[in-house]
Amino acid sequence: MFKSFINEIERVKRDSIYATTLLVLPIFALIFFVCFFSKSGIKNLPIALLDNDKSSLSRRVADMIESTAAVEIVFSVESSHEGLELILDGKAYAVVVIPDNFENNCLSGNTTHIELYNTGTNISTNGFIERDIQTVATTFGAGVAIEYLQAAGELYNKALATVMPIRIAEHTLFNPYMNYAYYLAPCFMAMMVVIFTLITTIYALYGSKITSVAKLVATCLPVTVTMSVLSAIMLFILFGVIGVPLKGSITIIALANAMLILSYQAVAILFVGISGSLHTALSLGGGYSVIAFTFSGFTFPVMAMAVVLQIFSHLFPFTYYMNIFIDQAMRGAEWYISLSDLGYMMLFLTLPLFVYRRL
Amino acid sequence: MRDFIKAFALEYRTIFKNGGIMIVLVFAPLFYSLLYSSGYAKEVLYNVPIAVIDHSHTASSREVIVRLNASPYIYTAFQYGDILEAQKALMERKIYGIVYIPKEFEERINSCNQAVVSLYCDAGYFLMYRQIVQGATGAIFSLNNSLAPQLPVIYQSHTLFNPYLGYGTFIMPAVLIVILQQTAMVAICMAGGVWRKERLYDRFSSSIVVTAAKVMVYCSICAVIASYILGIHYHIFGYPMCGSTADICGVIIPFILSTTLFAITLSTLFSRAEQPLMYLLWTSIPILLLSGASLPPQAFPQWMYILGKIFPSSSAVEAFIRVQTMGGTLDNVTSQTTTLWILSLIYGITATFAIKRRMPGRTTKSRTSNLLP
């Protein structure tokens, strides 16, 4: 087996396609994601303001919007049509409208409003803009009402309770800074490990004559070792460079990484076993690896998918890997919580048994 | 003209003879678009399970629970006696949020003091987090409205182009454009690998003719696939179709043309048909990210956003969303369509030169100048 392994290493040196997919491209992919997630958080999303009142109170609202984290007023427009054109031109993400007589209504105790026109075409920017403008509008409205009651002789606390009898104290668990990089970087980087493991293992198996189990293991081993090293670098980048929280067990995460690589190698063996050609195996492997992202439920939860797709989502080791990663890295779960997910991943290791004779 | 027809026929033969190319060029875009869209078909996440810890046990606290359950986004799956039990359920993924109502809740409301309800949200999954916050704040807001006088300033939010904030409506237009580009790119490069391996370039003398024939072949196939996606797929999944056909064509035509020419340029670098799948598959996610459709350009380095413009999908995604989803016109996307036409021109020149390098007379040089292994 050791001799076969050495032969495989020699093959990596000789075969530049193998070497490129095994070493060069994965490193390039990791560098890409490090650069991509180097900017922390979503800030200064450009929006337009249609201030129909142009009063000191409406300017106060504008100042409050300017001081929010995510939003920046880049355009002052004179009509809603002008605002809509800015949105359609891609220059502004939203338009905030302050109506006529805003100040007069506020001061005379009449009801007025602050309106936000959001596009909805990007859920992440939409959420950040909505959150900030709603906070400004609610805080401003409550402030005006409290001032009004205080002017009538009410104490601040009583005025506050009158205006807002119940306050909601929000505690964000597991990703307190609401950092998108913490959320997306682990998923995308692990996805790269999956793609390269699957593709490279298929290629390695096609270039080698499998005569025994030892030969099969030796053929897969260079990919296993290289991807293990790469995934260790990935973990260092995630926790050490990007700053993803690590609240649980790094041992379980390392085990999950190893299982991710081994399970996708087992899937690669299955595809080689059932495919007639390298092209077909690569096409199958490519399709299978890429769709795992959607069906991991990471961006759109599996619970919201149709039942048949919920079952389908269990056919990807990546789904279990992401469960483990979130549990251990971000949620700080006890180690035994992840054992069932690790167990499911281990089931994939039996796949080669079904096709071994066809290799 | 004879050479053009010969190259045209040869390219079609290469595609139909090679099952792998057919799978990637024709079946993969149909399969991917169907599968991804099916995954996001329900669009909106409803009924996220949460737990309530009610230490107040009063009519007011029960009213909070009723209003939480009235929200379409969340429902009270469990009621626990203490926070430890709820935390355990959170870790076991039985629930994704906890609402804690303290003992003095009603007492404080009745004594004209502000009462506080605590909300603990799992932000490990952003969409779950958003629905819980939206559901819980909406419930408390409606309760406040029934208890307190109307605030002088009412906040009104209008979502213009995706009113229910559907996930598929948000991400699929961009994904479909990237699918079109990536499958065409890999397939064209695979065919390029076959051309080099079987020395098909040697049969021609004019690179312009070969480039034109290849462009015709792939533009015709991509146009059929794009028509299916825009005409049938869009209808099946109910994505917004606000753009006029002429404006959509004004975006899609330069996109397909630039993608084809870009891919033809790259295709001359591959000497084997399996290389493109192995080398280009991973690029789909980075290319989608660089378009700014998932994360806005403000969230990643500007140089990467600018560099991303070398891919036709980056400009096409922006333009397509603004025309098809938002109902803009070509006037609103002039900068993107201009970029696509400029890319077509540049990649037209590079494709012609790249093919020329593989032609007879340049063979000695070309065979020793494989840029890729």
Side-chain angles (χ1 to χ4, degrees):
Chain A
M1 185 174 139
F2 183 70
K3 200 180 159 198
S4 301
F5 177 66
I6 297 298
N7 286 342
E8 281 299 314
I9 299 292
E10 287 300 322
R11 190 179 145 207
V12 176
K13 285 186 195 166
R14 260 193 340 264
D15 186 339
S16 52
I17 295 181
Y18 197 172
T20 307
T21 332
L22 188 63
L23 285 166
V24 181
L25 295 179
I27 289 171
F28 191 73
L30 284 183
I31 292 170
F32 172 86
F33 284 110
V34 170
C35 295
F36 190 85
F37 289 111
S38 61
K39 210 171 163 180
S40 66
I42 296 179
K43 288 176 190 154
N44 302 331
L45 296 170
I47 65 159
L49 176 70
L50 171 55
D51 183 356
N52 286 323
D53 195 43
K54 294 190 175 56
S55 61
S56 62
L57 277 192
S58 68
R59 276 192 292 276
R60 220 162 94 185
V61 173
D63 288 343
M64 285 173 78
I65 293 172
E66 284 283 13
S67 63
T68 59
V71 174
E72 188 184 0
I73 299 171
V74 175
F75 304 97
S76 281
V77 293
E78 294 303 319
S79 68
S80 52
H81 179 259
E82 203 184 327
L84 182 64
E85 279 301 308
L86 284 171
I87 287 178
L88 291 174
D89 287 341
K91 291 175 181 163
Y93 285 106
V95 181
V96 173
V97 179
I98 300 174
D100 287 332
N101 292 322
F102 179 75
E103 187 172 81
N104 282 345
N105 285 331
C106 280
L107 297 177
S108 60
N110 290 327
T111 304
T112 182
H113 53 269
I114 293 173
E115 285 181 272
L116 169 69
Y117 289 87
N118 224 334
T119 65
T121 50
N122 187 317
I123 284 186
S124 48
T125 55
N126 202 91
F128 282 102
I129 294 169
E130 177 94 34
R131 185 197 64 190
D132 279 4
I133 303 298
Q134 187 172 14
T135 306
V136 166
T138 314
T139 312
F140 181 82
V144 169
I146 289 167
E147 277 178 27
Y148 202 73
L149 289 169
Q150 279 183 305
E154 195 84 81
L155 288 171
Y156 176 79
N157 280 348
K158 297 289 176 195
L160 179 66
T162 308
V163 170
M164 203 183 282
I166 306 166
R167 179 172 68 85
I168 194 154
E170 195 185 314
H171 305 273
T172 308
L173 303 174
F174 315 134
N175 187 357
Y177 307 110
M178 295 302 289
N179 190 321
Y180 243 65
Y182 294 175
Y183 172 68
L184 290 175
C187 189
F188 287 138
M189 286 189 172
M191 200 65 229
M192 292 298 122
V193 172
V194 165
I195 291 172
F196 287 115
T197 302
L198 196 57
I199 292 293
T200 321
T201 307
I202 290 173
Y203 184 79
L205 289 167
Y206 259 100
S208 176
K209 193 166 168 55
I210 308 297
T211 48
S212 63
V213 175
K215 178 73 180 164
L216 177 67
V217 172
T219 306
C220 293
L221 208 53
V223 182
T224 319
V225 173
T226 314
M227 288 302 152
S228 300
V229 173
L230 275 167
S231 62
I233 296 171
M234 176 190 89
L235 292 184
F236 171 74
I237 292 169
L238 287 174
F239 299 127
V241 180
I242 295 176
V244 175
L246 174 58
K247 292 179 180 163
S249 161
I250 185 72
T251 315
I252 294 288
I253 293 175
L255 262 175
N257 265 7
M259 206 50 74
L260 183 76
I261 294 161
L262 291 173
S263 55
Y264 272 97
Q265 287 197 288
V267 172
I269 295 169
L270 177 78
F271 284 149
V272 171
I274 61 172
S275 304
S277 70
L278 173 60
H279 293 173
T280 314
L282 284 175
S283 302
L284 280 174
Y288 177 80
S289 59
V290 176
I291 55 173
F293 178 76
T294 297
F295 292 96
S296 69
F298 195 61
T299 49
F300 189 69
V302 173
M303 71 157 79
M305 294 179 189
V307 177
V308 66
L309 295 175
Q310 290 186 23
I311 297 165
F312 186 62
S313 73
H314 291 286
L315 302 179
F316 304 93
F318 187 70
T319 305
Y320 305 105
Y321 175 81
M322 284 318 299
N323 283 347
I324 296 172
F325 192 93
I326 292 172
D327 273 342
Q328 293 303 325
M330 295 171 86
R331 293 156 63 103
E334 295 291 343
W335 61 273
Y336 55 80
I337 294 267
S338 299
L339 289 184
S340 60
D341 285 316
L342 273 173
Y344 285 123
M345 289 174 89
M346 281 175 82
L347 288 178
F348 287 87
L349 303 186
T350 61
L351 291 176
L353 297 175
F354 299 102
V355 292
Y356 176 69
R357 287 179 186 283
R358 298 187 58 176
L359 290 174
Chain B
M1 190 63 190
R2 251 179 57 192
D3 263 7
F4 176 83
I5 295 166
K6 200 171 113 188
F8 186 84
L10 194 58
E11 191 67 5
Y12 259 114
R13 212 185 69 190
T14 308
I15 296 166
F16 284 110
K17 231 177 75 181
N18 193 316
I21 300 176
M22 270 294 280
I23 289 176
V24 176
L25 186 62
V26 181
F27 299 115
L30 307 182
F31 171 76
Y32 282 133
S33 54
L34 188 69
L35 208 60
Y36 284 127
S37 296
S38 304
Y40 304 135
K42 289 204 175 174
E43 292 272 6
V44 182
L45 173 65
Y46 294 115
N47 295 327
V48 179
I50 63 161
V52 172
I53 303 166
D54 182 6
H55 282 175
S56 175
H57 296 294
T58 54
S60 302
S61 68
R62 280 191 289 277
E63 185 60 28
V64 170
I65 298 168
V66 167
R67 293 198 186 231
L68 287 172
N69 284 323
S71 163
Y73 303 118
I74 52 176
Y75 77 99
T76 310
F78 299 97
Q79 284 204 36
Y80 292 113
D82 64 68
I83 195 84
L84 287 176
E85 263 185 294
Q87 269 179 346
K88 190 166 172 275
L90 195 78
M91 284 304 180
E92 288 168 356
R93 294 176 195 275
K94 288 179 183 165
I95 52 163
Y96 294 89
I98 304 165
V99 172
Y100 172 73
I101 307 169
K103 196 177 172 188
E104 66 284 1
F105 180 70
E106 190 173 68
E107 196 185 313
R108 285 189 70 86
I109 293 174
N110 292 340
S111 60
C112 282
N113 284 307
Q114 192 177 50
V116 178
V117 167
S118 296
L119 172 68
Y120 298 87
C121 277
D122 183 348
Y125 296 89
F126 263 44
L127 207 54
M128 302 257 203
Y129 167 80
R130 201 191 69 185
Q131 303 305 74
I132 293 171
V133 170
Q134 208 170 334
T137 49
I140 298 300
F141 183 75
S142 74
L143 194 55
N144 269 334
N145 277 350
S146 67
L147 295 169
Q150 180 77 61
L151 281 179
V153 178
I154 301 166
Y155 169 71
Q156 290 175 333
S157 169
H158 312 274
T159 307
L160 297 170
F161 310 111
N162 181 8
Y164 300 105
L165 292 176
Y167 196 84
T169 302
F170 146 58
I171 201 69
M172 280 314 290
V175 169
L176 291 171
I177 292 286
V178 172
I179 287 173
L180 269 175
Q181 174 183 280
Q182 292 301 100
T183 50
M185 203 158 79
V186 172
I188 294 170
C189 289
M190 284 172 85
V194 175
W195 272 60
R196 273 191 61 194
K197 196 178 169 192
E198 296 180 7
R199 300 174 68 173
L200 301 180
Y201 290 113
D202 295 359
R203 301 183 192 178
F204 300 93
S205 54
S206 166
S207 61
I208 295 174
V209 168
V210 174
T211 309
K214 278 177 174 267
V215 167
M216 278 296 285
V217 168
Y218 292 109
C219 282
S220 59
I221 296 172
C222 290
V224 173
I225 295 166
S227 305
Y228 159 77
I229 286 175
L230 294 169
I232 299 171
H233 187 87
Y234 249 70
H235 270 291
I236 294 171
F237 289 95
Y239 298 136
M241 296 192 288
C242 303
S244 73
T245 309
D247 289 336
I248 296 291
C249 289
V251 174
I252 294 295
I253 289 170
F255 163 63
I256 291 178
L257 186 65
S258 52
T259 298
T260 307
L261 288 163
F262 178 50
I264 292 171
T265 308
L266 285 184
S267 73
T268 60
L269 305 176
F270 297 101
S271 54
R272 286 165 60 178
E274 61 270 21
Q275 277 173 310
L277 248 179
M278 298 186 66
Y279 289 177
L280 300 176
L281 183 73
W282 71 277
T283 59
S284 304
I285 293 173
I287 283 174
L288 178 68
L289 288 174
L290 288 174
S291 75
S294 172
L295 277 177
Q298 287 79 9
F300 59 92
Q302 203 191 3
W303 66 266
M304 293 186 91
Y305 177 66
I306 294 166
L307 199 66
K309 293 287 178 195
I310 62 167
F311 303 108
S313 57
S314 297
S315 300
V317 163
E318 277 187 49
F320 183 65
I321 290 173
R322 277 194 250 145
V323 172
Q324 180 73 318
T325 310
M326 300 186 182
T329 62
L330 281 182
D331 289 342
N332 297 116
V333 293
T334 317
S335 132
Q336 284 71 30
T337 46
T338 309
T339 307
L340 288 172
W341 284 115
I342 292 170
L343 287 180
S344 301
L345 184 69
I346 294 169
Y347 293 141
I349 296 166
T350 54
T352 312
F353 275 100
I355 287 181
K356 200 176 173 65
R357 282 163 55 88
R358 302 293 171 209
M359 294 254 160
R362 301 292 301 260
T363 37
T364 316
K365 192 180 174 187
S366 68
R367 278 181 201 146
T368 55
S369 62
N370 294 340
L371 293 181
L372 287 173

